[in-house]
Amino acid sequence: MFKKEISAGAKSKVKSSVQRAIRTKIIETYPLLAPHIDEIIPKKSQLDLLKLPDRVTLYALDNQPLFWQHMDDPIVPHLRVVHAFPKCFSSLGIDRGAIRFVLSGATLMAPGLTSTGGRLPDEDAQLKEGDVAVVEAEGKEEACLVGQLRMGTEEVKEKKKGVVIDMGHYLGDGLWNMTID
């Protein structure tokens, strides 16, 4: 989704009532982020809304991107937020062979998760289609991709092929390199 360089469109201030609604939505979507929400979006701060191409909305604070949302999809954290609070998000693991494809913007396919070196969540932490997941690379410390699942993890285990995440934000993409003035 963010393969090319991105230039932000209109930048506007978010009203305080809308900002409270965004904070609530973030806590509902990512409950483990609740203790850190005041650190991410302080109550008295001014959140900015930026329009990006392809109907994407970016929420930024002090010219630092925090979350983005494509149309009515769930709010997805920027990788900088994921790196700051890595244990607050559901995660998957890809094997070494899939790393270069993911970092070049390719869709994440099931074989990268089901082969040796890949990691899917345990039975009690299964993810459904539409959930937002953070993808970590085998042997690396930082997450390399965050996006919305196109198939649940149970289905990935059964089929072992197909698209898992097709639109996401990865290290080095246009959103990662974007500067906000």
Side-chain angles (χ1 to χ4, degrees), residues 123-166:
E123 294 294 323
D124 58 335
Q126 293 296 322
L127 300 172
K128 304 180 301 294
E129 179 180 350
D131 287 351
V132 174
V134 170
V135 178
E136 298 168 343
E138 177 187 13
K140 307 294 181 197
E141 293 178 18
E142 303 289 346
C144 62
L145 171 71
V146 60
Q148 189 176 7
L149 294 176
R150 293 291 167 231
M151 80 169 65
T153 53
E154 194 63 45
E155 190 179 352
V156 171
K157 286 179 186 176
E158 290 170 14
K159 289 186 177 178
K160 297 190 188 263
K161 60 182 176 180
V163 175
V164 180
I165 297 177
D166 59 355

Side-chain angles (χ1 to χ4, degrees), residues 85-104:
F85 307 99
K87 301 294 183 208
C88 296
F89 303 98
S90 304
S91 66
L92 308 171
I94 56 172
D95 63 359
R96 290 185 185 278
I99 295 172
R100 68 185 176 113
F101 296 108
V102 167
L103 293 181
S104 66

Side-chain angles (χ1 to χ4, degrees), residues 44-121:
K44 298 291 181 185
S45 63
Q46 179 61 56
L47 200 61
D48 293 324
L49 180 144
L50 290 92
K51 296 287 186 181
L52 301 180
D54 299 326
R55 298 183 181 171
V56 174
T57 304
L58 177 68
Y59 300 104
L61 180 69
D62 300 328
N63 294 333
Q64 288 296 324
L66 297 177
F67 294 90
W68 59 275
Q69 184 175 23
H70 179 257
M71 293 169 55
D72 291 332
D73 291 345
I75 291 180
V76 180
H78 191 277
L79 275 172
R80 294 189 206 293
V81 174
V82 173
H83 292 165
F85 307 99
K87 301 294 183 208
C88 296
F89 303 98
S90 304
S91 66
L92 308 171
I94 56 172
D95 63 359
R96 290 185 185 278
I99 295 172
R100 68 185 176 113
F101 296 108
V102 167
L103 293 181
S104 66
T107 59
L108 177 62
M109 305 299 281
L113 298 168
T114 57
S115 63
T116 345
R119 180 180 47 80
L120 288 166

Side-chain angles (χ1 to χ4, degrees), residues 1-19:
M1 169 170 272
F2 302 111
K3 286 184 183 180
K4 298 176 185 161
E5 290 298 313
I6 299 173
S7 59
K11 180 178 181 180
S12 59
K13 304 285 185 197
V14 176
K15 293 189 331 187
S16 60
S17 59
V18 175
Q19 187 167 327

